[in-house]
Amino acid sequence: MSDNAKRIPVMELFGPTVQGEGMVIGRKTMFVRTAGCDYRCSWCDSAFTWDGSGKDDIRMLTAEEIMKELLALGGETFDHVTISGGNPALLPGLGELIEALQERGIRSALETQGSRWQDWFWDIDDLTLSPKPPSSGMATDWEVLDDIVGKLQSKSSSFCMKTVVFDELDLEYAAFVHLRYPSVPFYVQAGNANLQETEPARMLPYLVERYEWLIEKVMHSTELRSVHVLPQLHTWVWGNKKGV
């Protein structure tokens, strides 16, 4: 493999901070945000990773270079790294970074929509498959997602599923996902459609209202029984600010 093939397109490295989503919500973690995505979700809160607006921020780094920067930023204060995007599952070279984290006793987390398989999925400590609901404008390839879930279950991997919910159609989609994979831990999360607001204090009432709406809907659902109902925690504290 050439040196270029081993390099990873990195847009942001930051932390330590708290994980705001999914099964490790509240977890102290460092973040590595990669560039590139095969989806174009209408409400994407990290569109800069794929729409060209952040292209000048992309650095092609090796796993070793990423590790050095993480340690320079976080020192001895962390034992967990979240790999985010975009869709990091597009990057075969992430396997080297995950291996480097394991060698140092650092746990890894990653979220992907479940559109692409990588063998290093088996090595992720906290893997979230987050298929995108109708409000995203994207269509789920259920055959691909079924295959990914089957491969993960074949090795008893630690993974969960999560669906972001904005409206009633998304809620129906979430119920479909949960019923399709009933043995997989399942999370629903209130969506944030207010991406232009820059003041966290003005964001919070809106986010609380959306979370209350989702709680009420799930509590009355006979299909969404064994689920966790989450806010998007980091937006409650920092709003739409990047790098937190």
Side-chain angles (χ1 to χ4, degrees):
M1 184 181 291
S2 70
D3 182 59
N4 284 337
K6 295 180 181 179
R7 291 184 177 272
I8 298 164
V10 175
M11 299 201 73
E12 294 183 296
L13 286 161
F14 60 92
T17 185
V18 294
Q19 172 58 257
E21 305 183 354
M23 63 179 170
V24 288
I25 189 169
R27 179 68 155 91
K28 183 179 182 180
T29 190
M30 299 291 290
F31 270 87
V32 178
R33 187 182 298 280
T34 62
C37 192
D38 49 336
Y39 275 24
R40 300 292 183 266
C41 295
S42 61
W43 36 251
C44 181
D45 60 3
S46 52
F48 60 91
T49 63
W50 51 262
D51 67 4
S53 62
K55 62 182 180 180
D56 293 338
D57 296 326
I58 298 173
R59 294 181 296 150
M60 300 301 295
L61 303 179
T62 64
E64 181 180 358
E65 289 168 340
I66 293 170
M67 282 302 313
K68 285 182 179 178
E69 292 202 23
L70 287 171
L71 293 170
L73 281 170
E76 299 297 320
T77 67
F78 70 96
D79 66 355
H80 191 272
V81 171
T82 298
I83 304 169
S84 183
N87 183 12
L90 300 178
L91 305 172
L94 278 176
E96 289 194 11
L97 175 59
I98 295 157
E99 183 178 350
L101 293 170
Q102 289 177 325
E103 289 173 354
R104 290 165 175 82
I106 298 172
R107 292 178 64 86
S108 60
L110 184 141
E111 181 174 312
T112 176
Q113 58 261 42
S115 60
R116 188 77 62 90
W117 169 261
Q118 296 289 350
D119 285 345
W120 47 254
F121 278 11
W122 283 311
D123 299 319
I124 297 289
D125 296 294
D126 305 307
L127 177 64
T128 299
L129 302 179
S130 183
K132 305 309 178 188
S135 62
S136 70
M138 300 292 103
T140 302
D141 187 327
W142 297 107
E143 184 176 346
V144 171
L145 188 56
D146 287 348
D147 181 64
I148 291 173
V149 171
K151 286 178 177 176
L152 291 170
Q153 290 178 323
S154 73
K155 290 197 175 183
S156 300
S157 297
S158 174
F159 77 104
C160 73
M161 305 201 75
K162 186 193 82 177
T163 297
V164 178
V165 175
F166 286 83
D167 54 32
E168 296 280 358
L169 281 178
D170 288 356
L171 199 67
E172 292 177 11
Y173 176 92
F176 179 85
V177 173
H178 185 40
L179 294 173
R180 191 178 185 94
Y181 311 107
S183 65
V184 181
F186 188 65
Y187 296 76
V188 288
Q189 178 180 298
N192 171 21
N194 193 10
L195 298 177
Q196 304 308 313
E197 179 57 68
T198 58
E199 292 297 328
R202 289 201 290 264
M203 281 284 291
L204 189 54
Y206 161 77
L207 295 169
V208 171
E209 184 276 328
R210 296 311 301 156
Y211 186 41
E212 289 178 333
W213 174 85
L214 182 58
I215 291 172
E216 179 71 13
K217 291 294 183 180
V218 172
M219 294 310 107
H220 288 91
S221 172
T222 58
E223 297 175 318
L224 292 165
R225 297 174 64 185
S226 181
V227 301
H228 303 258
V229 187
L230 300 180
Q232 195 179 41
L233 183 61
H234 58 283
T235 61
W236 284 45
V237 181
W238 297 291
N240 293 312
K241 184 178 179 182
K242 290 172 57 179
V244 292

